[in-house]
Amino acid sequence: MSGFSFELVERVPERRRERKDTFLHLVGTAGPYGEISLKITNAREATLVGDGLPDAEISNLFGASGYIAVDEHTKVTVGGVAARLSRNRRALRMEDRGISIVLGDRHYTYLFGPTGHEELRDSERGPVVRKGDPPAGVEMTMVVLPDADATDLALALIMQGADRLVLTVGGAIVSGVMSFLNSSKGKW
């Protein structure tokens, strides 16, 4: 398949109760995969539903409301397959700050790529999905590269529900300091 890009816009819930429970709800049309919905709730859970994509979920019972904290309590599933996430809390180099993801027999890293944008990189195929520069009025733009498949795109989209602050230098420094203060080993 050739690559494509698409935009995600915020959908504000109509009901007051739903607005209270929803942190962020993004919708869009993911090219040949059709309509998608990424909903991040204040209950520390994000779900992805799409016509042509496997369902995906990320959750963490601990941490603040909003984006899902990435730590040893984080659970990710894509198409019913559980993923393992890990990261190096003390890393300062861009490529070392990435979130490592093992999904079945696939190995990924979610990081800031050399283009200066967040990207999902497969260990064998290289970059498969990248965030683009969104135009005004659009929450985010996703660029799907030619080697990507539905699983790659679902994983990249569900990672938008994760707290990706650790991918930045400042976030990595704060995470390293907190790791030191909490007497952790720097990895989990």
Side-chain angles (χ1 to χ4, degrees):
M1 174 186 353
S2 64
F4 63 93
S5 65
F6 65 97
E7 299 170 346
L8 294 169
V9 296
E10 185 174 1
R11 181 190 158 269
V12 178
E14 294 177 16
R15 295 189 178 126
R16 184 175 184 203
R17 168 99 177 155
E18 190 179 353
R19 282 193 303 268
K20 183 180 175 187
D21 295 339
T22 302
F23 174 72
L24 181 63
H25 188 183
L26 301 173
V27 295
T29 303
Y33 298 111
E35 297 293 319
I36 60 148
S37 169
L38 174 64
K39 187 174 188 179
I40 306 167
T41 69
N42 286 320
R44 299 176 211 90
E45 170 180 87
T47 55
L48 172 72
V49 178
D51 297 335
L53 294 177
D55 290 345
E57 182 179 298
I58 184 171
S59 64
N60 187 334
L61 298 177
F62 305 99
S65 296
Y67 290 109
I68 314 306
V70 176
D71 62 20
E72 64 272 13
H73 303 289
T74 306
K75 294 181 181 176
V76 175
T77 58
V78 177
V81 178
R84 287 181 317 190
L85 282 82
S86 62
R87 65 182 177 89
N88 183 350
R89 291 182 177 199
R90 295 185 181 156
L92 292 177
R93 291 184 348 174
M94 189 178 337
E95 52 276 357
D96 294 337
R97 285 192 308 269
I99 300 168
S100 297
I101 305 164
V102 177
L103 181 66
D105 59 351
R106 298 179 184 210
H107 298 269
Y108 297 98
T109 305
Y110 192 91
L111 63 127
F112 267 102
T115 61
H117 292 89
E118 292 178 26
E119 67 183 27
L120 180 66
R121 180 180 292 264
D122 182 270
S123 63
E124 295 176 6
R125 297 174 286 154
V128 288
V129 180
R130 181 177 292 136
K131 281 183 72 173
D133 293 321
V138 172
E139 188 70 26
M140 72 179 63
T141 300
M142 301 299 287
V143 178
V144 182
L145 302 173
D147 288 340
D149 62 16
T151 301
D152 300 330
L153 181 54
L155 180 58
L157 285 168
I158 202 63
M159 288 304 293
Q160 302 313 302
D163 182 357
R164 300 171 318 280
L165 179 66
V166 298
L167 300 178
T168 65
V169 173
I173 291 170
V174 169
S175 177
V177 169
M178 295 306 291
S179 174
F180 175 76
L181 293 175
N182 291 327
S183 299
S184 70
K185 303 278 191 244
K187 283 190 172 191
W188 46 266

